[in-house]
Amino acid sequence: MPVRKAPVASIIEQGGHCVLAPLKLGIAGLGHVGCGLIELIERQARLRLPGEVQVTGVSARSRSRNRPVEIGNYEWFDDAGELAASENIDAFIELMGGSDGPAKIAVEAALEAGKPVVTANKALIAEHGQALADLAERKGVDLLFEAAVAGGVPVVRALRDSLCGVEVSRVSGILNGTCNFLTTEMLASGRSYDEVLAQAQSLGYAEADPTLDVSGMDAAHKVAILSAMAFSADLDFSKVELEGVDGVTLLDLRLADRLGYRIKLIAEGVAANGGVVCRVAPMALEFGHPLAQVNGSLNTVRIEGEPLGAVTLTGPGAGPGPTASAVMGDIAKLFNPGVRSAFGGAKHHLSRKFVGARKSEQAAFFLHVRLSDRSGALAGVSEALAEANVSIDKLLQDSADAENVSPVAIVTHPCARSGIDDAVARLSQLDAVVDATRVIRIEAN
Ligand code: HSE
């Protein structure tokens, strides 16, 4: 039997009024987001929380590191797990990151000790969320993770609570601010991938290990969480397919732009193949596509379903301020604990499974072929496509560079993914084709 979640804040009398007793927090992880949260807590009088929150204990990898906030007044814990189970806290706030290791141990310790948990850790929730949600439910405490998906965009509880009356068919969007910043800024400024990535890191958008962003892993964690909620599915992260922006070049972006497309990292979960198909990949969007003009570090999530139609939420998806504000929203929720499970659906709804990508995927594709500039080279390309039954919709060839390599951009008519795989295999056999051919699916409007 699910237990009704226990209130964590008691009512006290103050100046003739009944008010909620301060909520005592233990915060583990004092990086960009942890410090952003402490700054926000310091100016809580200007926010709209239902009661007062107090930081009583903190934990991080290094006590002495230079930080923009003063932590000397809080009890220090070398071990986040000890903080999580401390009698001096009402709730545990996990901002360490990492799917396993100290973050998981500490969150389990807090839940076992009957403390509600607020976390921004998408890797932890994507990979162990189901088990942690079960534990939280058994203990009758909240496990909240609004900040784990799309930073400051309030999509998790919107999906879990407000949209529970919608039969969702698709959840999609731009879920990694670093990647969106990369593809936007490279094209706008003509700067290299490395320069723009360094800027994203200095702005606090990127993960401590930015390969998690550029490989598509971070967006995959987020879309897996949203899909589990949207489809009441048993979250199985191993089934999520991902491809990042780490291979996308400035030339890819420029060629696509000249043909009328923006390349962006898109994440999606759809009800298909008898289950839930979840994937992340760079996709080419026509300028008129609803997501094509979502630029910089903005995130956007589009939820489609009946009888709603579609709803789109857009906002800052990365950075310490927006993420800390989402954590704060969850902390405020602890004054009024809910009875819903962490992922929303009741246990008996968990019938759907995550399955592999759509076998019969039909789409148009953007190809960037790198071609030695000599007679007959382009004819070889069109012949390879024809042999694979792939028909060309648009084609653009630029003059050769100093190495005599000419970029050729092709937009195909819709075809099966297997046809494109066949065409690319044929192209790779041609002497005139140098480098691997870039293949990017075109997302229909
Ligand atoms: N690194 C993430 C992003 C932010 O760039 O969107 C935290 O999820």
Side-chain angles (χ1 to χ4, degrees):
M1 269 296 272
V3 188
R4 187 177 175 84
K5 294 194 195 318
V8 288
S10 44
I11 294 174
I12 55 172
E13 198 261 317
Q14 204 174 69
H17 295 285
C18 285
V19 295
L20 291 163
L23 188 66
K24 292 179 282 170
L25 307 178
I27 302 178
L30 296 172
H32 288 302
V33 177
C35 291
L37 178 64
I38 289 180
E39 276 173 9
L40 207 49
I41 290 171
E42 282 169 357
R43 59 185 164 97
Q44 63 180 291
R46 309 212 300 270
L47 309 177
R48 290 164 292 119
L49 305 183
E52 188 191 340
V53 297
Q54 287 175 354
V55 181
T56 47
V58 292
S59 176
R61 261 201 296 262
S62 155
R63 188 172 186 172
S64 55
R65 191 181 130 185
N66 254 345
R67 295 189 168 90
V69 290
E70 176 53 50
I71 57 164
N73 292 336
Y74 312 132
E75 190 180 356
W76 174 265
F77 289 78
D78 283 326
D79 179 355
E82 267 176 41
L83 169 62
S86 159
E87 299 223 318
N88 268 339
I89 67 164
D90 297 318
F92 181 60
I93 316 301
E94 188 277 301
L95 305 173
M96 292 181 282
S99 61
D100 293 272
K104 178 164 176 273
I105 292 167
V107 166
E108 285 169 344
L111 296 174
E112 287 288 359
K115 317 260 183 211
V117 170
V118 172
T119 177
N121 189 336
K122 53 257 153 182
L124 176 73
I125 298 298
E127 298 192 28
H128 304 291
Q130 209 74 68
L132 294 172
D134 289 348
L135 176 57
E137 208 168 335
R138 279 203 307 280
K139 294 289 178 176
V141 292
D142 273 310
L143 168 64
L144 301 174
F145 43 84
E146 183 65 70
V149 181
V153 182
V155 62
V156 170
R157 269 192 284 132
L159 189 55
R160 194 188 74 157
D161 298 336
S162 311
L163 300 177
C164 69
V166 176
E167 189 181 347
V168 178
S169 54
R170 185 164 186 257
V171 56
S172 61
I174 294 172
L175 292 180
N176 185 272
T178 301
C179 293
N180 206 46
F181 184 75
L182 265 168
T183 52
T184 306
E185 282 298 309
M186 283 166 70
L187 183 63
S189 67
R191 284 181 297 152
S192 72
Y193 176 94
D194 290 336
E195 278 176 289
V196 180
L197 181 57
Q199 191 189 354
Q201 286 177 280
S202 73
L203 290 168
Y205 300 156
E207 297 300 294
D209 171 4
T211 53
L212 288 173
D213 295 293
V214 298
S215 66
M217 181 65 85
D218 176 84
H221 283 144
K222 293 168 180 170
V223 77
I225 295 170
L226 291 182
S227 301
M229 294 171 65
F231 302 108
S232 284
D234 211 352
L235 203 169
D236 178 0
F237 187 68
S238 70
K239 293 284 194 313
V240 182
E241 296 192 356
L242 66 138
E243 187 190 329
V245 297
D246 33 7
V248 174
T249 64
L250 179 57
L251 191 52
D252 293 330
L253 297 171
R254 282 183 167 157
L255 291 168
D257 181 61
R258 284 168 60 190
L259 288 169
Y261 300 91
R262 288 272 181 273
I263 295 175
K264 292 188 174 287
L265 190 76
I266 301 293
E268 68 169 1
V270 289
N273 286 358
V276 178
V277 169
C278 215
R279 66 177 175 180
V280 175
M283 293 190 200
L285 314 173
E286 272 182 24
F287 292 164
H289 189 285
L291 304 185
Q293 305 305 332
V294 176
N295 290 325
S297 66
L298 286 179
N299 276 197
T300 192
V301 187
R302 188 171 163 82
I303 297 158
E304 294 162 59
E306 285 307 315
L308 172 74
V311 69
T312 306
L313 297 169
T314 302
T323 310
S325 77
V327 173
M328 202 57 150
D330 277 351
I331 292 171
K333 174 79 174 62
L334 296 178
F335 285 97
N336 177 22
V339 288
R340 292 179 67 77
S341 70
F343 285 90
K347 267 261 164 292
H348 62 274
H349 288 150
L350 288 177
S351 51
R352 276 200 263 202
K353 301 276 177 225
F354 277 42
V355 294
R358 286 169 281 187
K359 291 171 202 128
S360 56
E361 178 186 72
Q362 287 275 333
F365 290 86
F366 166 87
L367 308 179
H368 172 188
V369 187
R370 314 258 309 133
L371 207 54
S372 242
D373 192 8
R374 58 172 187 254
S375 63
L378 193 56
V381 171
S382 72
E383 200 174 313
L385 267 62
E387 281 164 1
N389 259 326
V390 171
S391 162
I392 296 172
D393 179 23
K394 299 180 204 170
L395 187 144
L396 180 158
Q397 175 173 357
D398 235 345
S399 303
D401 61 17
E403 267 102 53
N404 196 41
V405 175
S406 182
V408 175
I410 294 169
V411 171
T412 72
H413 284 293
C415 61
R417 167 67 82 163
S418 55
I420 286 294
D421 291 345
D422 183 14
V424 169
R426 289 172 189 274
L427 289 171
S428 70
Q429 301 300 312
L430 301 179
D431 286 345
V433 172
V434 294
D435 302 333
T437 295
R438 176 93 55 237
V439 179
I440 295 183
R441 198 184 89 166
I442 294 175
E443 181 77 337
N445 277 6

